[in-house]
Amino acid sequence: RTREAVAIATDLGTPLVIHQPSYSMLNRWIEDASAGESLLDALGDTGLGCIAFSPLAQGMLTDRYLNGVPEGSRAAQDKSLSTDLLSEANLAHVRALNELAAGRGQTLAQLAIAWVLRDERVTSALIGASSVRQLENSVAAVANLSFTADELAEIDRYATEGGINLWAAPSTA
């Protein structure tokens, strides 16, 4: 569909320049090449940029939910994060990723942002900070964007599909 959209827009004289898919360590669908190629492959081939939407998985990839659902949080308000997504399996992965982040001298949010930016086809990450502290923490991710092969392998043990692609239905319609 991305290739088709690029072709149509180009034919109309309105070239596309960016795609904004949801992408995080718990929502890796854009890497899936089971249908022959991944979305990342199509973006790389067509020259489209990629802005990773929700790289913090609606807040799951922050320290906010490591020890339960805090009062006033998105999950507590049943806004864009359902408590159903805070399954013990997802939280076990998030806690393990938090430990890996600490070993790199990063917060979990910084690790999550750096991780989505590791692929040269991802040109930016769209974050939704609700405070200056969150913004400063997120921006600090750029202080450590490199990963060793061993770090990526360890991250892959826990950065698995968490069933949190909130936009799966509209994107396949």
Side-chain angles (χ1 to χ4, degrees):
R1 287 187 160 183
T2 296
R3 288 182 185 281
E4 183 180 352
V6 168
I8 291 168
T10 300
D11 286 347
L12 294 172
T14 310
L16 298 178
V17 295
I18 200 77
H19 193 303
Q20 187 179 307
S22 59
Y23 182 47
S24 73
M25 289 193 279
L26 300 176
N27 183 12
R28 298 179 67 168
W29 71 275
I30 71 172
E31 300 171 0
D32 183 10
S34 61
E37 75 173 339
S38 70
L39 176 58
L40 283 173
D41 294 333
L43 297 177
D45 290 348
T46 60
L48 282 180
C50 177
I51 295 179
F53 180 76
S54 196
L56 301 179
Q58 299 301 107
M60 287 176 63
L61 291 170
T62 69
D63 62 1
R64 188 128 172 110
Y65 299 101
L66 292 174
N67 299 305
V69 178
E71 193 173 314
S73 66
R74 287 180 186 192
Q77 297 173 29
D78 200 24
K79 284 188 175 177
S80 58
L81 179 62
S82 167
T83 54
D84 294 342
L85 299 176
L86 297 170
S87 67
E88 190 48 47
N90 278 346
L91 289 176
H93 288 176
V94 168
R95 288 181 189 115
L97 291 166
N98 186 56
E99 293 297 318
L100 292 170
R104 286 174 45 89
Q106 292 180 304
T107 65
L108 177 56
Q110 291 166 352
L111 172 72
I113 293 167
W115 183 87
V116 298
L117 294 173
R118 80 196 185 289
D119 190 304
E120 65 184 18
R121 297 167 293 187
V122 177
T123 53
S124 188
L126 181 61
I127 57 159
S130 61
S131 70
V132 171
R133 184 185 68 77
Q134 286 178 355
L135 180 62
E136 290 172 345
N137 180 55
S138 294
V139 170
V142 300
N144 187 4
L145 294 174
S146 62
F147 292 91
T148 67
D150 287 344
E151 285 175 322
L152 289 173
E154 187 68 11
I155 288 168
D156 278 345
R157 291 182 56 204
Y158 306 105
T160 60
E161 185 58 43
I164 64 164
N165 186 357
L166 304 177
W167 303 273
S171 66
T172 58

